[in-house]
Amino acid sequence: VQLQASGGGLVRPGGSLTLSCVASGSIWSTGDMAWYRQAPGQQRELVASITAAITTKYADSVKGRFTISRDNAKNTVWLQMNSLKPEDTAVYYCAAKIETSSTGPMRDYWGQGTQVTVSS
């Protein structure tokens, strides 16, 4: 199983970016999917998560600005980021809980990270 993240880049404050993450390989089912981020010198933090039933959670710092969504059939998760701030600068990682067979268990898989830089 592989998670491939894309969509990062350089954007001015107030701008928008959309990150995408596609899970591929021998996938039986996909559970929770999430986006994390890690800024230089800081710990990795949860940005947003979404269950297979499309229940979402957000870090307080991104509520109202970021939107997480997914397509269960395509094993894809997106993070729409609006009103970006310099403090949103970080490497963003996608993560997913995936079963590779009908007998489980769910395991955690991570994408390779994509850099988001918010700067004028």
Side-chain angles (χ1 to χ4, degrees):
V1 174
Q2 289 188 331
L3 269 62
Q4 182 69 43
S6 61
L10 173 63
V11 64
R12 294 183 184 277
S16 298
L17 279 176
T18 300
L19 306 182
S20 301
C21 177
V22 181
S24 62
S26 181
I27 297 172
W28 177 261
S29 69
T30 305
D32 294 359
M33 303 184 83
W35 288 95
Y36 290 76
R37 66 186 181 187
Q38 187 167 21
Q42 306 223 358
Q43 290 189 332
R44 190 172 297 188
E45 64 172 350
L46 176 65
V47 176
S49 65
I50 185 168
T51 68
I54 321 297
T55 299
T56 58
K57 288 184 180 179
Y58 295 92
D60 287 343
S61 59
V62 307
K63 280 181 183 176
R65 300 188 297 122
F66 290 10
T67 302
I68 190 170
S69 59
R70 66 186 284 171
D71 183 326
N72 289 335
K74 296 181 179 179
N75 291 313
T76 300
V77 63
W78 295 273
L79 185 68
Q80 172 69 42
M81 304 184 293
N82 298 326
S83 302
L84 282 161
K85 304 175 180 180
E87 51 263 43
D88 294 318
T89 296
V91 178
Y92 284 70
Y93 299 90
C94 60
K97 294 185 182 297
I98 293 173
E99 279 182 317
T100 56
S101 73
S102 61
T103 57
M106 282 276 185
R107 289 195 173 94
D108 292 331
Y109 292 87
W110 290 84
Q112 82 285 9
T114 185
Q115 176 71 46
V116 172
T117 302
V118 185
S119 175
S120 55

